[in-house]
Amino acid sequence: MRTVEGKSFGKIILLGEHSVVYGEPAIAIPFPSALITTKISESVGSCQLKCFNYTGDLMLAPESLIGLVELIKEIMKRLKQELNNFDIEIESTIPAERGMGSSAAVAAATARALYAYFDQALSDEELLDLVSISEKIVHGNPSGLDASIVVLEKPLYYIKGQAFEQFDFNLDAYLLVADTGEKGNTKFAVSSVKDFVDRDEKGKMYVSDLGQLVIDARKVFNDHDEIGLGNIMNKVQANLKALGVSNETLDKLVSVALANGALGAKLTGGGLGGCMIALMKSEADAKKVSQALLANGAKNTWITEMKSEGVK
Ligand code: PMV
């Protein structure tokens, strides 16, 4: 029996979530700990799907999987293949809806696996186009950042509608990612920010301040200034909180990180749950912050060096 695999991983937004939807820049890094693997196996009959929250006929999958189902149908159309005589299994090392871009990674891994199964080459342009189809269904009005990073698989300085810009950095610092254990809701968070921006000048101001902070961060990265980056992360968190996308759990973990020596801490991704990140000067500091976060309710933590080659 023939089996073929496709892989992809999620991302962490260092700076620029939400404001990126309005054309402001964002900086994101691939996050290999959030690995998605899609397996396609030869079978007989209608396509069966096995994934985190569903096992059964692909065409009877629940509404929550509509982005994936539509993506698979589109791929079959492009490859001129029938949707039967193979099964799809999707495995993930992280839970869904944690602000790590798992939906884009699932789409990319599945597209890669299906093209490989049918022995077709898949260009970056076509992969980006396919991932964007499912992201639009899942997120409503996505900036395209998640789709871009799963294609590029390198740190990215991203502006909506512009070509990929790889972003290399080398800071003498450590980044910690902590999972609150709560599902985020990116679609809801993005639409509530839009309501705020549409009705209140303050909303527009927070978004443009967030954009300026990302521009400032470029200089801080160039100067290898981790203290400056920590300060920017704290200002970004204050703006995201003012926009209404933080919550009690994220605020608590941010305070715990800062009280235990982090240079800066903020939510990452859509917010209202999901994950937070913190920056520390040394690995020992990062471990100390990790212990404090786990003792205060974080469900999982990951530590990585702040070097682009360390990230991917
Ligand atoms: O929650 P995630 O990982 O899908 O990230 C969302 C990032 C936003 O800026 C809030 C939305 C977007 O489309 O970029």
Side-chain angles (χ1 to χ4, degrees), residues 27 43 50 69 75 94 96 112 116 121 125 128 132-133 197 259:
I27 298 173
S43 69
K50 186 169 176 209
V69 173
I75 293 173
I94 47 142
R112 285 179 175 138
E125 290 70 32
L128 182 63
S132 304
I133 291 174
V197 168

Side-chain angles (χ1 to χ4, degrees), residues 11 13 16-21 98-103 135 139 141-146 186 190 268-271:
K11 57 96 210 9
I13 301 181
E17 48 275 275
H18 288 289
S19 42
V20 68
V21 173
R98 292 297 203 275
M100 292 184 184
S102 64
S103 60
E135 285 293 279
H139 284 327
N141 178 27
S143 63
L145 171 62
D146 288 13
T186 301
V190 168
T268 179

